[in-house]
Amino acid sequence: MKPFLILQLRPEAEVSDDEFSAILGKSGIEPERAHRIRLERDDLPENLDLARYAGVIVGGGPGCVSDADEIKTPLEARMEAAMLSLMPQITERDVPFLGCCYGIGILAHHLGGVVNKENYGETVGSAWCERTEDGQADPMLEGLPDAFAAFVGHKEALQALPSGCQHLVASPTCPFQMIRFGQNVYATQFHPEADADAFKLRIEVYRDKGYFPPEDAADLIEKCQAADVWAPAQILRNFALRYGDS
Protein backbone atom coordinates (compact mmCIF):
# COMPACT_ATOMS: atom_id res chain seq x y z
CA MET A 1 0.00 0.00 0.00
CA LYS A 2 1.11 3.54 -0.64
CA PRO A 3 2.63 5.59 2.18
CA PHE A 4 1.37 8.93 3.44
CA LEU A 5 3.51 12.02 2.96
CA ILE A 6 3.71 14.10 6.14
CA LEU A 7 5.17 17.59 5.72
CA GLN A 8 6.20 19.66 8.73
CA LEU A 9 7.12 23.32 9.07
CA ARG A 10 8.11 23.67 12.71
CA PRO A 11 11.73 24.77 13.27
CA GLU A 12 11.78 23.43 16.84
CA ALA A 13 12.70 19.73 16.89
CA GLU A 14 10.84 19.00 20.13
CA VAL A 15 7.57 20.45 18.84
CA SER A 16 8.02 18.88 15.41
CA ASP A 17 8.61 15.43 16.90
CA ASP A 18 5.60 15.80 19.20
CA GLU A 19 3.40 16.89 16.28
CA PHE A 20 4.56 13.97 14.13
CA SER A 21 3.82 11.49 16.93
CA ALA A 22 0.39 13.06 17.40
CA ILE A 23 -0.45 12.82 13.70
CA LEU A 24 0.47 9.14 13.64
CA GLY A 25 -1.31 8.41 16.91
CA LYS A 26 -4.55 10.18 16.04
CA SER A 27 -4.69 8.92 12.45
CA GLY A 28 -3.62 5.35 13.11
CA ILE A 29 -1.03 5.55 10.31
CA GLU A 30 1.74 3.05 10.95
CA PRO A 31 5.23 4.58 11.18
CA GLU A 32 6.44 2.48 8.26
CA ARG A 33 3.73 4.02 6.07
CA ALA A 34 4.74 7.61 6.89
CA HIS A 35 7.24 9.47 4.72
CA ARG A 36 8.16 12.40 6.95
CA ILE A 37 9.82 15.52 5.57
CA ARG A 38 10.84 18.27 7.97
CA LEU A 39 10.94 21.26 5.66
CA GLU A 40 12.99 23.35 8.08
CA ARG A 41 15.97 21.08 7.41
CA ASP A 42 15.17 19.00 4.30
CA ASP A 43 14.42 20.00 0.72
CA LEU A 44 11.57 18.40 -1.17
CA PRO A 45 12.76 15.61 -3.46
CA GLU A 46 13.26 16.82 -7.01
CA ASN A 47 10.24 16.14 -9.25
CA LEU A 48 8.21 14.83 -6.33
CA ASP A 49 5.28 12.79 -7.71
CA LEU A 50 2.40 12.83 -5.28
CA ALA A 51 0.75 9.92 -7.11
CA ARG A 52 3.18 7.72 -5.16
CA TYR A 53 1.36 8.59 -1.93
CA ALA A 54 -1.99 7.68 -0.42
CA GLY A 55 -2.35 11.26 0.76
CA VAL A 56 -0.55 14.35 2.07
CA ILE A 57 -0.82 15.72 5.62
CA VAL A 58 0.63 19.13 6.49
CA GLY A 59 1.22 20.20 10.06
CA GLY A 60 1.19 23.69 11.53
CA GLY A 61 3.95 26.19 12.12
CA PRO A 62 4.73 29.67 13.42
CA GLY A 63 4.92 31.28 9.97
CA CYS A 64 2.15 33.32 8.31
CA VAL A 65 1.56 33.23 4.56
CA SER A 66 0.16 36.77 4.75
CA ASP A 67 3.34 38.30 6.22
CA ALA A 68 5.21 40.64 3.89
CA ASP A 69 8.30 39.13 2.31
CA GLU A 70 10.59 41.46 4.23
CA ILE A 71 9.13 40.21 7.53
CA LYS A 72 9.56 36.52 6.83
CA THR A 73 12.79 34.88 7.84
CA PRO A 74 14.72 33.12 5.06
CA LEU A 75 13.68 29.81 6.61
CA GLU A 76 9.99 30.74 6.67
CA ALA A 77 10.17 31.92 3.07
CA ARG A 78 11.89 28.72 1.95
CA MET A 79 9.37 26.44 3.68
CA GLU A 80 6.44 28.44 2.33
CA ALA A 81 7.83 28.28 -1.21
CA ALA A 82 8.26 24.52 -0.89
CA MET A 83 4.64 24.09 0.16
CA LEU A 84 3.28 26.39 -2.53
CA SER A 85 5.27 24.49 -5.17
CA LEU A 86 3.15 21.40 -4.42
CA MET A 87 -0.24 23.08 -4.46
CA PRO A 88 -0.77 23.10 -8.26
CA GLN A 89 -0.23 19.34 -8.37
CA ILE A 90 -2.51 18.84 -5.34
CA THR A 91 -5.42 20.98 -6.57
CA GLU A 92 -5.23 20.08 -10.26
CA ARG A 93 -5.06 16.32 -9.60
CA ASP A 94 -7.34 16.46 -6.54
CA VAL A 95 -4.67 14.68 -4.50
CA PRO A 96 -5.92 13.65 -1.02
CA PHE A 97 -4.65 16.45 1.22
CA LEU A 98 -5.23 17.53 4.81
CA GLY A 99 -3.66 20.83 5.83
CA CYS A 100 -3.81 21.64 9.54
CA CYS A 101 -3.83 25.35 10.55
CA TYR A 102 -0.96 26.64 8.38
CA GLY A 103 -2.32 24.39 5.64
CA ILE A 104 -5.58 26.33 5.30
CA GLY A 105 -3.62 29.52 4.68
CA ILE A 106 -1.44 27.85 2.06
CA LEU A 107 -4.42 26.29 0.28
CA ALA A 108 -6.50 29.48 0.30
CA HIS A 109 -3.54 31.64 -0.79
CA HIS A 110 -2.87 29.28 -3.70
CA LEU A 111 -6.54 29.46 -4.72
CA GLY A 112 -6.49 33.26 -4.71
CA GLY A 113 -8.36 33.63 -1.44
CA VAL A 114 -7.79 36.45 1.02
CA VAL A 115 -5.72 35.41 4.03
CA ASN A 116 -4.67 38.11 6.48
CA LYS A 117 -4.69 39.26 10.10
CA GLU A 118 -7.57 41.73 9.81
CA ASN A 119 -10.23 39.43 11.25
CA TYR A 120 -10.75 36.04 12.89
CA GLY A 121 -7.38 35.43 14.54
CA GLU A 122 -7.80 33.29 17.66
CA THR A 123 -5.69 33.23 20.78
CA VAL A 124 -4.39 29.89 22.00
CA GLY A 125 -7.13 27.74 23.51
CA SER A 126 -10.27 25.87 22.50
CA ALA A 127 -13.00 27.09 20.14
CA TRP A 128 -16.56 25.82 19.80
CA CYS A 129 -17.07 24.61 16.23
CA GLU A 130 -20.18 23.58 14.32
CA ARG A 131 -20.63 21.54 11.17
CA THR A 132 -22.29 23.42 8.33
CA GLU A 133 -24.91 21.89 6.03
CA ASP A 134 -22.14 20.77 3.68
CA GLY A 135 -20.19 19.52 6.67
CA GLN A 136 -23.09 17.33 7.71
CA ALA A 137 -22.75 15.40 4.46
CA ASP A 138 -18.98 15.27 4.15
CA PRO A 139 -17.35 11.86 4.80
CA MET A 140 -14.33 13.45 6.47
CA LEU A 141 -16.58 14.53 9.34
CA GLU A 142 -18.31 11.19 9.78
CA GLY A 143 -18.54 10.27 13.44
CA LEU A 144 -18.14 13.82 14.73
CA PRO A 145 -20.94 15.53 16.66
CA ASP A 146 -22.75 18.48 15.10
CA ALA A 147 -20.79 20.76 17.43
CA PHE A 148 -17.46 20.13 19.11
CA ALA A 149 -14.49 21.82 20.77
CA ALA A 150 -11.16 22.12 18.96
CA PHE A 151 -7.76 23.55 19.82
CA VAL A 152 -6.84 26.74 17.96
CA GLY A 153 -4.17 29.42 17.97
CA HIS A 154 -3.45 31.55 14.90
CA LYS A 155 -2.70 35.14 13.93
CA GLU A 156 -4.02 35.09 10.37
CA ALA A 157 -7.21 33.60 8.95
CA LEU A 158 -9.17 33.08 5.77
CA GLN A 159 -11.45 36.09 5.24
CA ALA A 160 -13.79 34.66 2.58
CA LEU A 161 -14.40 31.27 1.00
CA PRO A 162 -12.31 30.83 -2.18
CA SER A 163 -14.02 29.85 -5.41
CA GLY A 164 -14.47 26.10 -5.76
CA CYS A 165 -14.45 25.43 -2.01
CA GLN A 166 -17.09 23.98 0.27
CA HIS A 167 -17.49 25.37 3.78
CA LEU A 168 -17.58 22.48 6.24
CA VAL A 169 -17.03 23.82 9.78
CA ALA A 170 -17.56 27.26 11.33
CA SER A 171 -17.17 28.89 14.73
CA PRO A 172 -18.33 32.21 16.20
CA THR A 173 -14.75 33.49 16.46
CA CYS A 174 -13.51 32.25 13.08
CA PRO A 175 -16.06 31.40 10.36
CA PHE A 176 -13.82 29.21 8.21
CA GLN A 177 -12.62 26.44 10.47
CA MET A 178 -12.65 23.72 7.79
CA ILE A 179 -13.00 23.79 4.01
CA ARG A 180 -12.77 21.39 1.08
CA PHE A 181 -11.62 22.03 -2.47
CA GLY A 182 -12.66 19.53 -5.13
CA GLN A 183 -13.45 16.17 -3.59
CA ASN A 184 -10.26 15.31 -1.71
CA VAL A 185 -8.41 18.49 -0.71
CA TYR A 186 -9.18 19.48 2.89
CA ALA A 187 -7.85 22.07 5.32
CA THR A 188 -8.65 22.99 8.91
CA GLN A 189 -7.92 26.16 10.84
CA PHE A 190 -8.00 24.17 14.09
CA HIS A 191 -5.52 21.46 15.03
CA PRO A 192 -7.07 17.98 14.69
CA GLU A 193 -3.85 16.36 15.91
CA ALA A 194 -3.55 18.34 19.14
CA ASP A 195 -4.44 17.46 22.70
CA ALA A 196 -3.87 19.41 25.91
CA ASP A 197 -0.32 18.10 26.36
CA ALA A 198 0.61 19.12 22.82
CA PHE A 199 -0.75 22.61 23.38
CA LYS A 200 1.07 22.87 26.72
CA LEU A 201 4.34 22.26 24.90
CA ARG A 202 3.50 24.72 22.13
CA ILE A 203 2.51 27.41 24.65
CA GLU A 204 5.85 26.98 26.40
CA VAL A 205 7.88 27.04 23.18
CA TYR A 206 5.95 29.82 21.39
CA ARG A 207 5.24 32.05 24.37
CA ASP A 208 7.30 34.88 22.84
CA LYS A 209 6.03 34.49 19.26
CA GLY A 210 3.15 36.95 19.53
CA TYR A 211 0.26 34.50 19.88
CA PHE A 212 -0.57 35.76 23.38
CA PRO A 213 0.95 37.92 26.14
CA PRO A 214 3.77 35.81 27.64
CA GLU A 215 2.48 36.38 31.16
CA ASP A 216 -0.73 34.54 30.18
CA ALA A 217 1.05 31.25 29.46
CA ALA A 218 0.26 29.49 32.74
CA ASP A 219 -3.42 30.49 32.57
CA LEU A 220 -3.70 29.31 28.96
CA ILE A 221 -2.13 25.97 29.83
CA GLU A 222 -4.64 25.52 32.64
CA LYS A 223 -7.55 26.34 30.33
CA CYS A 224 -6.32 23.91 27.66
CA GLN A 225 -5.97 21.14 30.21
CA ALA A 226 -9.53 21.77 31.38
CA ALA A 227 -11.01 21.78 27.85
CA ASP A 228 -12.98 18.77 26.64
CA VAL A 229 -11.39 18.34 23.21
CA TRP A 230 -11.65 14.91 21.61
CA ALA A 231 -13.69 15.03 18.40
CA PRO A 232 -11.23 16.63 15.90
CA ALA A 233 -8.89 13.63 16.05
CA GLN A 234 -11.57 11.65 14.18
CA ILE A 235 -10.84 13.78 11.10
CA LEU A 236 -7.30 12.42 10.93
CA ARG A 237 -8.60 8.91 11.47
CA ASN A 238 -11.19 9.35 8.72
CA PHE A 239 -8.54 10.68 6.35
CA ALA A 240 -6.29 7.67 6.94
CA LEU A 241 -9.17 5.20 6.61
CA ARG A 242 -10.61 6.82 3.48
CA TYR A 243 -7.38 7.02 1.54
CA GLY A 244 -5.16 4.44 3.19
CA ASP A 245 -6.24 1.54 0.99
CA SER A 246 -5.23 3.31 -2.22
Side-chain angles (χ1 to χ4, degrees):
M1 294 188 289
K2 295 179 181 179
F4 286 88
L5 178 62
I6 299 177
L7 302 173
Q8 294 186 271
L9 304 102
R10 297 189 182 276
E12 308 82 10
E14 183 181 12
V15 185
S16 180
D17 288 345
D18 184 75
E19 179 185 68
F20 179 68
S21 295
I23 290 172
L24 295 189
K26 299 295 193 303
S27 67
I29 296 171
E30 301 89 348
E32 58 270 19
R33 289 196 65 193
H35 178 192
R36 180 190 187 190
I37 299 180
R38 287 176 51 183
L39 291 172
E40 93 286 356
R41 69 177 187 186
D42 302 322
D43 293 329
L44 290 174
E46 190 173 353
N47 300 320
L48 180 63
D49 183 5
L50 296 181
R52 297 178 49 238
Y53 296 97
V56 180
I57 299 173
V58 177
C64 290
V65 71
S66 64
D67 280 346
D69 290 342
E70 58 268 22
I71 295 177
K72 293 171 184 169
T73 67
L75 176 59
E76 288 171 344
R78 182 174 63 79
M79 292 192 295
E80 181 182 300
M83 274 306 312
L84 286 171
S85 73
L86 293 178
M87 297 315 296
Q89 187 178 168
I90 288 169
T91 54
E92 291 168 14
R93 299 185 185 178
D94 202 21
V95 173
F97 173 87
L98 179 60
C100 308
C101 194
Y102 184 83
I104 199 170
I106 285 289
L107 174 61
H109 178 77
H110 167 70
L111 295 173
V114 178
V115 181
N116 60 39
K117 300 177 184 178
E118 291 184 7
N119 301 293
Y120 313 132
E122 295 176 292
T123 192
V124 171
S126 62
W128 193 244
C129 299
E130 294 185 359
R131 296 165 66 177
T132 65
E133 183 176 350
D134 285 334
Q136 295 287 345
D138 195 283
M140 204 57 61
L141 291 164
E142 184 177 350
L144 276 80
D146 292 343
F148 57 90
F151 282 121
V152 299
H154 55 101
K155 304 171 191 176
E156 65 180 6
L158 180 59
Q159 303 298 305
L161 192 67
S163 176
C165 287
Q166 299 296 314
H167 185 197
L168 304 181
V169 177
S171 74
T173 48
C174 180
F176 303 105
Q177 288 284 2
M178 185 172 181
I179 63 174
R180 187 190 79 235
F181 178 78
Q183 295 301 310
N184 301 305
V185 179
Y186 292 87
T188 65
Q189 184 65 80
F190 56 83
H191 288 273
E193 85 290 350
D195 57 19
D197 288 338
F199 255 48
K200 178 179 183 295
L201 175 62
R202 295 177 196 182
I203 290 169
E204 292 169 344
V205 171
Y206 296 131
R207 64 183 299 153
D208 297 313
K209 295 291 187 180
Y211 289 98
F212 53 85
E215 62 271 19
D216 291 350
D219 184 54
L220 291 173
I221 290 171
E222 184 177 351
K223 289 180 178 178
C224 287
Q225 290 174 331
D228 184 19
V229 177
W230 57 270
Q234 185 63 41
I235 295 170
L236 277 163
R237 185 61 177 163
N238 288 346
F239 186 83
L241 289 171
R242 183 178 180 186
Y243 300 112
D245 291 335
S246 60

